[in-house]
């Protein structure tokens, strides 16, 4: 049975608390930028700092919170620690949040402009 076909059921209070904590972690612009940078790759703190335009110590503090919330995981190579998204569910959550936000703007969202993902809608032309 896949998740889309499951009947809605009440969540246990402890599970609700964990979900709230995930959304709390996503309620920070720097953490969203960090998670987005990690969607398809792993990066070190310094690489992430460059991607999000923040000092490495600040990014490191955000990564510690994301790690405690089990949204990112680490891999050590020598003296460097690489960060990646914890699992495919975290990746999908981040991608869906970004894509949903793109729908709030005018025109065709950027994720629909990629010819591989464009779905022709009746009466509409694909953006070029």
């Amino acid at each position: 049975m896949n998740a889309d076909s499951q009947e809605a059921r009440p969540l246990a209070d402890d599970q609700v608390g964990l979900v709230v904590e995930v959304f709390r972690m996503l309620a920070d612009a720097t953490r969203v930028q960090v998670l987005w940078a990690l969607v398809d790759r792993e990066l070190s703190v310094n690489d992430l700092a460059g991607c999000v335009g923040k000092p490495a110590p600040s990014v490191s503090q955000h990564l510690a919170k994301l790690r405690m919330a089990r949204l990112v995981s680490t891999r050590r190579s020598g003296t460097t620690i690489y960060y990646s998204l914890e699992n495919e569910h975290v990746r999908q959550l981040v991608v869906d949040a970004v894509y949903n936000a793109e729908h709030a703007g005018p025109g065709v969202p950027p994720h629909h402009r990629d010819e591989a993902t464009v779905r022709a809608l009746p009466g509409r032309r694909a953006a070029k």
Side-chain angles (χ1 to χ4, degrees):
M1 179 179 249
N2 73 35
D4 293 335
S5 65
Q6 291 180 348
E7 290 183 32
R9 64 190 191 298
L11 297 173
D13 289 344
D14 59 338
Q15 190 174 14
V16 170
L18 292 170
V19 172
V20 168
E21 185 59 26
V22 167
F23 284 116
R24 187 176 290 125
M25 289 294 105
L26 295 174
D28 179 273
T30 299
R31 288 193 288 267
V32 169
Q33 291 284 5
V34 165
L35 292 169
W36 184 244
L38 294 173
V39 162
D40 289 318
R41 59 189 171 173
E42 65 176 19
L43 295 168
S44 68
V45 172
N46 288 332
D47 291 337
L48 279 165
C51 287
V52 302
K54 301 284 182 182
S58 172
V59 170
S60 183
Q61 289 177 354
H62 286 290
L63 285 164
K65 290 177 183 180
L66 291 168
R67 190 171 176 206
M68 285 185 356
R70 289 180 248 151
L71 296 175
V72 299
S73 58
T74 60
R75 177 183 68 82
R76 180 181 293 275
S77 178
T79 59
T80 305
I81 297 175
Y82 292 94
Y83 291 84
S84 60
L85 297 182
E86 178 67 31
N87 57 48
E88 182 59 28
H89 297 293
V90 174
R91 182 191 178 285
Q92 195 63 53
L93 179 65
V94 173
V95 169
D96 284 346
V98 169
Y99 286 2
N100 185 65
E102 288 178 348
H103 280 274
V108 176
H111 65 273
H112 286 297
R113 291 185 192 144
D114 178 3
E115 287 302 317
T117 60
V118 171
R119 293 184 183 147
L121 299 174
R124 295 182 80 183
R125 285 183 271 155
K128 299 217 182 214

